[in-house]
Amino acid sequence: MLKIIIPSIMLLPLTWLSNNKNMWVNVTSYSFMISFLSVMILWQNDMNILNFSLLFSTDSLSSPLIILTTWLLPLMLLASQNHMKKESEQNKKVYVSMLVLLQILLIMTFSANELIMFYILFEATLIPTLIIITRWGNQTEQLNAGLYFLFYTLIGSIPLLIALIYIQNLTGTLNFLLFPLTFAPFNQTWSNNILWLACMMAFLI
């Protein structure tokens, strides 16, 4: 994952150190390079996990999501250049920085092994998303849209946090790699349906 995260982080100084004329070209071309580089993580067996550390890894489910995330950034840059044409150079660089930060947080979210780390990173993506919606939204109700987005997402994530705390108390860990080693299986009761609904609530909203 470091082969994707570190180049993505380097997009931030590239954005601010590029001159105003070549900023879009530099960032877009470099982000396309990261997109092509990310395709390499697809070449793994279905049941094998590429462990990067105790906290981050990829498998056959998270790899396509990470690749999709890296491909969205250059496409968003291409699509928004005309929309940002009348903005100041400072605002353009802030906008690109928010998109880059969103990509970094999403890559870390999809590759997180710890569920609580997944929750924190998932909620952290709200910050750049909220700034983009409220500052560069295309509709007049962009401030209200941003507030509704923040309100509904935070309310929906509270059951997820409660479910994670319950799972932590039941199994003693929230690490995907350690789940097979725990000796506290979930009881097959109706409460499992509530637990499943609580975990899915944040994503359904």
Side-chain angles (χ1 to χ4, degrees), residues 148-204:
Y148 287 141
F149 167 76
L150 182 64
F151 176 77
Y152 284 118
T153 308
L154 290 179
I155 292 298
S157 64
I158 291 175
L160 175 60
L161 179 61
I162 296 172
L164 293 181
I165 295 173
Y166 173 77
I167 295 173
Q168 169 70 37
N169 293 332
L170 184 65
T171 63
T173 182
L174 288 176
N175 195 302
F176 285 124
L177 302 178
L178 297 180
F179 275 151
L181 304 178
T182 59
F183 297 96
F186 294 105
N187 296 324
Q188 298 298 322
T189 61
W190 61 270
S191 60
N192 276 357
N193 295 329
I194 298 178
L195 184 64
W196 176 85
L197 183 61
C199 289
M200 294 298 295
M201 186 69 69
F203 309 106
L204 292 175

Side-chain angles (χ1 to χ4, degrees), residues 32-82:
F32 267 119
M33 291 174 58
I34 297 173
S35 302
F36 286 110
L37 186 65
S38 67
V39 178
M40 291 191 304
I41 65 175
L42 272 182
W43 278 273
Q44 60 183 2
N45 295 330
D46 291 339
M47 299 305 295
N48 289 342
I49 295 177
L50 292 179
N51 289 321
F52 305 110
S53 67
L54 291 176
L55 293 178
F56 299 102
S57 67
T58 61
D59 54 17
S60 57
L61 179 62
S62 61
S63 296
L65 296 174
I66 294 174
I67 294 172
L68 177 62
T69 301
T70 58
W71 276 98
L72 282 176
L73 176 61
L75 296 179
M76 285 189 293
L77 291 173
L78 289 175
S80 58
Q81 287 186 32
N82 187 50

Side-chain angles (χ1 to χ4, degrees), residues 125-141:
T125 58
L126 296 180
I127 299 173
T129 307
L130 182 65
I131 294 174
I132 291 172
I133 291 174
T134 54
R135 174 61 184 84
W136 292 284
N138 201 25
Q139 298 180 4
T140 55
E141 298 86 3

Side-chain angles (χ1 to χ4, degrees), residues 85-124:
K85 188 164 54 177
K86 297 181 180 179
E87 295 281 345
S88 65
E89 298 300 329
Q90 183 81 5
N91 286 343
K92 291 178 182 178
K93 292 184 177 182
V94 172
Y95 174 75
V96 173
S97 299
M98 289 297 104
L99 293 180
V100 172
L101 181 60
L102 186 59
Q103 170 174 298
I104 295 171
L105 291 173
L106 283 174
I107 292 173
M108 296 177 69
T109 299
F110 292 138
S111 59
N113 281 334
E114 285 279 349
L115 281 174
I116 196 65
M117 180 68 71
F118 170 82
Y119 176 83
I120 293 171
L121 292 169
F122 176 72
E123 295 300 317

